[in-house]
Structure formats: structure tokens, C-alpha cells
Amino acid sequence: MSEPRRSAGTWLSGARAAGADLGYPGERMGLPQQGPGSVAGYGRRLVALIVDWLLALLVAQILSAALHWSPGVRSFATLAIFGVLSWLLIGLFGTTVGKRLAGLRVTVPNGGDVGLLWAFERAVLLVLLIPAVLWDRDHRGLHDRAANTVVVVR
């Protein structure tokens, strides 16, 4: 017992600390490691999320002022607007305003369009938040896995 176990504490550091080779994000889906079509990193995705949220907040604020909504209604409207914008823009164009500015798009792993049905499922799960904060080794949230989508660099 003089030498500590190699795997002790790797649950904090991840599988790579235990010596597991997981490859790069997107390798299992046949995506390139870098450049267009590669899996987007967390930073760009966060920037896109912030821009999309601010846009939804702006629309909700304008509607709230025009329709005299209470703060509670405005908060719910912001979430609903965010979900609808995500659904329609990803379903129709494969990107949202924030993702476009960050140089990202949402696609299925083989590079095809998401479509309105899968974009709707993805948006509903994204609004629920919990699936979005749980990631796999391909940088896909549970909302992406359920809708069979991946966020890639444009």
C-alpha cells in the first residue's frame, strides 16, 4: 500500500487522468478535429447563448412595455421567446442569431439539416435547462443527444 492507486481521484479529473484515450470531440461521429464541421467548443457556445438570450430579453422587454406585462409574465415570456427563436431559427436555417455571430451551426452528425420536428424537441429540452448542462465527451448536451444534433463550427 505504499504506492497510491492510479485511478484514485480520477472521478474528479476525468477519464483522461486515468490514462483512457477518448479521442477528440466528434471523432466517434466522423467529424474533423478542427476547422469547419468540427464540434464547437464551450466558449463559442456560451457566447452564442448569451447573445440569443439577450435578443429574447430585448423582444420580451419591448412586448412587456407595449402590453404592460408584470415582471413575472415578462420573465416567462423571455424564456418562451428564447425557445421559439431557437426552434424556428435552427429548424429553418440551422443557426440562431447568436450562433451565426459566433460562427456556429446546428446539424445532425452526418451534416444534414435538423428540421422543424427535431429542432422543436431540442428547443423544448434546452428550455428545461437540465439537459443542456449535462455534456458527453463529444460536447453534446442531453438536448443534442435526444434530438440527434451537434453544434459545429461553420
Side-chain angles (χ1 to χ4, degrees):
M1 282 307 289
S2 64
E3 185 177 321
R5 287 183 36 202
R6 183 173 183 208
S7 62
T10 58
W11 62 277
L12 289 174
S13 304
R16 291 189 202 284
D21 179 21
L22 302 176
Y24 62 86
E27 183 176 20
R28 296 182 304 165
M29 295 178 281
L31 300 176
Q33 186 171 3
Q34 296 177 347
S38 63
V39 173
Y42 300 125
R44 292 173 104 173
R45 291 178 72 150
L46 182 60
V47 167
L49 176 67
I50 291 169
V51 170
D52 289 338
W53 187 259
L54 290 174
L55 179 62
L57 192 61
L58 176 67
V59 171
Q61 183 65 33
I62 292 169
L63 289 173
S64 176
L67 301 174
H68 307 291
W69 288 342
S70 69
V73 172
R74 186 181 66 227
S75 294
F76 178 75
T78 302
L79 185 62
I81 290 166
F82 176 79
V84 169
L85 285 175
S86 294
W87 167 45
L88 292 176
L89 293 175
I90 288 173
L92 296 173
F93 306 111
T95 190
T96 62
V97 173
K99 283 180 178 44
R100 177 79 178 186
L101 291 174
L104 305 175
R105 68 185 172 96
V106 180
T107 183
V108 294
N110 68 4
D113 294 331
V114 176
L116 285 172
L117 180 63
W118 291 112
F120 179 75
E121 178 180 344
R122 184 182 188 279
V124 167
L125 292 173
L126 182 60
V127 166
L128 294 177
L129 183 68
I130 298 299
V133 297
L134 300 175
W135 300 75
D136 67 7
R137 69 184 190 193
D138 291 317
H139 296 191
R140 294 169 69 196
L142 291 180
H143 64 296
D144 282 321
R145 289 183 58 103
N148 192 32
T149 59
V150 62
V151 180
V152 296
V153 176
R154 292 177 43 111

